Amino acid sequence: QVKLQESGPGLVKPSETLSLTCTVTGGSISSYYWSWIRQPPGKGLEWIGYIYYTGSTNYNPSLKSRVTTSVDTSKSQFSLKLSSVTAADTAVYYCARGPSGSYLHFDYWGQGTLVTVSS
Amino acid sequence: DIQMTQSPSSLSASVGDRVTITCRASQSVGTYLNWYQHKPGKAPNLLIYAASSLQGGVPSRFSGSGSGTDFTLTIRSLQPEDFATYYCQQSYTMPYTFGQGTRLQIK
């Protein structure tokens, strides 16, 4: 069973960079796309972007200027960096496998980690 | 971006009931429509992909239908473990977008 687990600081100061890592177990990180998705308190889900195991990426235009992702296949991990954060970036951040398959769904998710932006 | 609108935003029902949740896209997404179940503190769970295909391991009381702009998720004979929030998501074009969620509560 594929499992994903997010890790990283739960508190980030305004204007600093949010950094999260997702560790994949129970399956290979190769040959798949891997995404970050977030949910601000009381709001809906927002797709941040994906990284392919080769390192190619695609980001939501609304965040593209501040997002960087990377992948380390040797550790079965992929990571997110979001720069210049503000309170609006406070959210539960999820990592997920996908878009997968012919219909580009997200078939495995982590439990999510709350990141609060505050001084 | 394609806007996804779910209705209702919340719903109360009893064990054994049949419930339907609707998702409408702001433009056609064909059948690139997926449904997820989310319980607090848990990982979201893929229920339906391609509008009507049941993900492996998901009980057959869940079903999806629709194409174009209008979609439905139906849960036949609600079970206690089905009380959760449900989200639709379009994968027709990037950025992928989600509905705002439908919270299914016990009556």
Side-chain angles (χ1 to χ4, degrees), chain B residues 22-102:
Chain B
T22 298
C23 177
R24 175 164 288 177
S26 61
Q27 65 185 76
S28 177
V29 298
T31 56
Y32 285 82
L33 191 285
N34 310 302
W35 290 97
Y36 302 87
Q37 177 192 65
H38 190 203
K39 298 179 182 178
K42 304 284 191 179
N45 183 39
L46 174 67
L47 299 174
I48 302 283
Y49 63 94
S52 60
S53 295
L54 196 66
Q55 173 70 348
V58 174
S60 59
R61 63 180 180 273
F62 291 91
S63 64
S65 65
S67 66
T69 60
D70 294 306
F71 302 87
T72 58
L73 172 70
T74 299
I75 312 172
R76 172 178 48 85
S77 188
L78 273 173
Q79 298 301 299
E81 61 268 29
D82 299 337
F83 293 94
T85 300
Y86 293 85
Y87 295 93
C88 62
Q89 175 244 331
Q90 67 81 17
S91 52
Y92 180 75
T93 188
M94 287 184 280
Y96 305 122
T97 48
F98 294 82
Q100 82 280 12
T102 294

Side-chain angles (χ1 to χ4, degrees), chain A residues 8-85:
Chain A
L11 181 63
V12 181
K13 290 183 168 56
S15 78
E16 295 190 345
T17 296
L18 177 161
S19 295
L20 295 174
T21 295
C22 183
T23 301
V24 180
T25 57
S28 175
I29 199 169
S30 297
S31 302
Y32 289 99
Y33 292 87
W34 302 92
S35 283
W36 289 97
I37 296 160
R38 70 179 184 178
Q39 184 171 33
K43 297 188 177 182
L45 293 160
E46 178 181 35
W47 174 72
I48 298 170
Y50 71 62
I51 185 164
Y52 193 43
Y53 78 104
T54 58
S56 65
T57 59
N58 204 308
Y59 302 137
N60 191 322
S62 68
L63 296 166
K64 187 174 182 178
S65 64
R66 298 194 290 130
V67 172
T68 304
T69 57
S70 60
V71 61
D72 186 336
T73 55
S74 67
K75 295 182 179 180
S76 287
Q77 293 178 333
F78 62 104
S79 298
L80 168 72
K81 290 187 186 299
L82 181 65
S83 64
S84 306
V85 297

